[in-house]
Amino acid sequence: MATLAGVTASPLERALTASALRPLPAPAAELLLDLQAPPRLGAHLRLVHDVAWTLTDALGRCWPTVPFDTTAVLFGAASHDIGKVLHPEELSGPGSAHEAAGERLLLRYGVPQHLARFAGTHGSWTAPDVTTDDLLVTLADKIWKGNRLPELEQRVVEHSGRTPWEALIELDDVLENLAAGADERLAFQFAFPVAA
Ligand SMILES: [Fe+2]
């Protein structure tokens, strides 16, 4: 049985430490533990953060002139659904109440606005003032389970400043590689219970 410092690890602790997935930024992991977040939420945020890491690394190399804030995107991926602590029914069903609630929660815990904002924006990628950082968090939140949204990908390409057909091919290559791991990620997420 998994242990942490000699004590049996809780499902949430296991969701935040198990497997070779990259660790969440420490402030995000600590907040999830403080809030006793649902283990499945911890697993989901870990997966989307890991995908965002690979996505920003790949795009940073093939689109080196595209300005995006990797630290902000990674924190956004690691915290975007934190409002589901307050709306756990949205972990297994539709709903957007967690979005504004999540941003307020992060602000209440002292997270700066420029990092808390993703909890509120990740579901509204069609907004006219959407930023590249917003789009990348949303893209990670789709492709982790192999979900391809051509309109979202088109918007990302528009933010690339590259020749559209070239950028589309490059983005498609990155997303296909990520989508190939979707089944394994889904199995990891659903191995953890919704109830804390
Ligand atoms: Fe999500």
Side-chain angles (χ1 to χ4, degrees), residues 134-153:
D134 293 325
L135 291 171
L136 294 179
V137 171
T138 304
L139 190 57
D141 194 29
K142 302 297 180 190
I143 200 62
W144 77 273
K145 59 178 175 181
N147 193 3
R148 300 287 305 260
L149 271 71
E151 288 177 31
L152 171 61
E153 293 168 21

Side-chain angles (χ1 to χ4, degrees), residues 44-45 48 80-81 84 122 141 144:
H44 174 68
L45 294 174
V48 176
H80 70 282
D81 275 339
K84 292 185 182 180
H122 69 276
D141 194 29
W144 77 273

Side-chain angles (χ1 to χ4, degrees), residues 112-146:
Q113 171 65 37
H114 77 281
L115 297 177
R117 61 191 304 279
F118 299 101
T121 63
H122 69 276
S124 51
W125 57 269
T126 55
D129 58 347
V130 72
T131 68
T132 308
D133 293 355
D134 293 325
L135 291 171
L136 294 179
V137 171
T138 304
L139 190 57
D141 194 29
K142 302 297 180 190
I143 200 62
W144 77 273
K145 59 178 175 181

